Amino acid sequence: MKTILSSLIAIGAALAAGPALAQWAPSKPVEFIAAGGAGGGTDQFARQLQAAIAKEKLAEQNVVVANKGGGSGAEAFIYGVGSAGDDHKLIFGTSNEWQLPLVTRLGYKAEDLTPVATLAVDEFIVWVQADSPYETINDLVAAGKETPGKLRFGGSQSKDVDQTLLRQIEDVSGAKFLYIPFKSGSEAAVQLAGNHIDANTNNPAENVGQWRAGQAKPLCVMAPERMAYTDKVTETMSWNDIPTCKEQGLAIDSYQMPRTVFAPADVSAEAIAYYTELLRKASETPEFQSYLKTTSQTARFMAGDDFKSFIAADVQKSRAQFEADGWLVQ
């Protein structure tokens, strides 16, 4: 009797475990589509996750990375929209997924893709020339009020994250600057080091080389608190030594760019759950954590309703700002 009872219990346990064992998994290689060119921030983001997944053997299928950076990343999102129902593709981007359709007529809407996760946020720092007389954001703002439209602020692209941040600085301070768009944040960093512009709003990784070389200096970081990394970058300063802009009196609590992942429309809920867990595990690996430290990004994992709520709030805020600036597509 005990033997029969034990067998029945074992069979029942196996049946109960059956659905869990039958969870969805990729049946062929998964394509990571980077909404940016080779070597750029989004490309590095996708490839670091690819490397972490491979090294830690987190997936049975291979992951391949492809770049579609045309139109400030719109090419990748349009490609994703055209891949509806394909559960072997993920699109990697930033807040550009939902902000681009607000300022440019494109072949997709933000809601045409399925949010999967955000894994990190890029910080934004206000940089000036190393020998600049400005020591705080207040000094720079004062100059922007005294000589409106004279100080040259560089950034990546037009009507994108850098110019959006500069408009916020102008709105809360009353200063006025001349915005000069470049092809990338890296190019803006080179222009600052060459004294061709007076300031830029770059993320840490794009300006760290010039900082180390004594060609630029940070004024403040647009974050709710100082960056966590305390290793010295220069002889005297670490990322943690840079004050927040709010500390210096600028009325902007935070401005950060999320590193995001989307799936095409009509992908099954089981596939979304699989990719969410895969990305969560990859984000916790030593390889990905090292990448975050090297690029001075802040870890922040959001998925499901949290991510969707974040997008909705940012769309509302962005729409209001773009409309006020005359950028909103009608």
Side-chain angles (χ1 to χ4, degrees):
M1 178 63 73
K2 289 183 178 180
T3 301
I4 295 173
L5 182 59
S6 298
S7 299
L8 291 173
I9 292 172
I11 292 170
L15 290 173
L21 294 174
Q23 286 179 349
W24 185 92
S27 58
K28 61 182 181 180
V30 177
E31 192 174 11
F32 283 5
I33 310 300
T42 300
D43 176 64
Q44 292 180 40
F45 171 50
R47 291 184 189 278
Q48 288 293 332
L49 283 166
Q50 175 199 38
I53 290 168
K55 184 171 182 179
E56 301 297 332
K57 297 179 173 58
L58 299 180
E60 293 185 4
Q61 293 291 338
N62 291 332
V63 171
V64 295
V65 177
N67 297 93
K68 294 186 180 296
S72 298
E75 179 188 6
F77 303 126
I78 292 171
Y79 176 80
V81 170
S83 302
D86 189 335
D87 50 14
H88 288 78
K89 286 179 173 36
L90 292 178
I91 301 91
F92 287 67
T94 65
S95 52
N96 57 355
E97 191 275 343
W98 58 86
Q99 289 180 344
L100 280 172
L102 295 176
V103 298
T104 307
R105 295 189 186 280
L106 297 169
Y108 83 97
K109 301 186 296 296
E111 54 268 29
D112 290 339
L113 294 173
T114 305
V116 179
T118 282
L119 284 79
V121 293
D122 258 14
E123 307 293 357
F124 279 80
I125 293 173
V126 178
W127 301 88
V128 294
Q129 298 162 6
D131 58 356
S132 167
Y134 314 120
E135 298 296 335
T136 68
I137 189 65
N138 292 330
D139 296 337
L140 190 61
V141 163
K145 290 180 178 179
E146 185 176 344
T147 57
K150 297 294 184 182
L151 289 179
R152 301 157 299 174
F153 245 98
S156 176
Q157 312 294 338
S158 297
K159 300 180 182 179
D160 208 336
V161 288
D162 290 330
Q163 190 174 12
T164 299
L165 174 54
L166 183 60
R167 289 293 298 117
Q168 290 188 17
I169 294 172
E170 291 175 330
D171 286 344
V172 301
S173 69
K176 188 67 178 176
F177 301 99
L178 174 64
Y179 181 76
I180 301 176
F182 296 100
K183 293 180 181 178
S184 66
S186 297
E187 185 179 347
V190 171
Q191 294 296 319
L192 181 64
N195 295 333
H196 302 299
I197 56 176
D198 301 294
N200 67 20
T201 52
N202 247 346
N203 64 46
E206 288 174 326
N207 246 103
V208 65
Q210 288 75 18
W211 187 25
R212 284 199 180 104
Q215 298 171 324
K217 64 182 179 183
L219 297 186
C220 63
V221 58
M222 295 283 177
E225 56 188 25
R226 293 192 181 199
M227 297 169 65
Y229 305 113
T230 57
D231 294 343
K232 295 297 182 186
V233 179
T234 68
E235 290 185 2
T236 58
M237 290 186 70
S238 69
W239 295 113
N240 182 256
D241 292 320
I242 302 172
T244 68
C245 298
K246 189 175 182 181
E247 276 181 65
Q248 294 184 346
L250 189 72
I252 298 177
D253 290 336
S254 176
Y255 189 85
Q256 298 166 312
M257 183 178 72
R259 294 289 179 185
T260 61
V261 183
F262 288 81
D266 301 327
V267 169
S268 69
E270 292 79 10
I272 298 299
Y274 171 87
Y275 287 125
T276 300
E277 187 58 23
L278 176 66
L279 292 169
R280 185 190 303 277
K281 290 178 179 177
S283 73
E284 295 170 351
T285 62
E287 293 79 19
F288 191 73
Q289 291 297 312
S290 176
Y291 154 74
L292 293 182
K293 184 175 182 180
T294 299
T295 56
S296 304
Q297 295 180 69
T298 299
R300 184 177 181 185
F301 192 93
M302 289 186 292
D305 290 341
D306 286 344
F307 186 25
K308 293 175 184 177
S309 296
F310 175 88
I311 293 173
D314 197 70
V315 166
Q316 184 178 11
K317 182 171 64 175
S318 298
R319 184 184 297 276
Q321 181 176 347
F322 296 160
E323 185 173 20
D325 291 336
W327 299 355
L328 193 66
V329 170
Q330 300 299 324

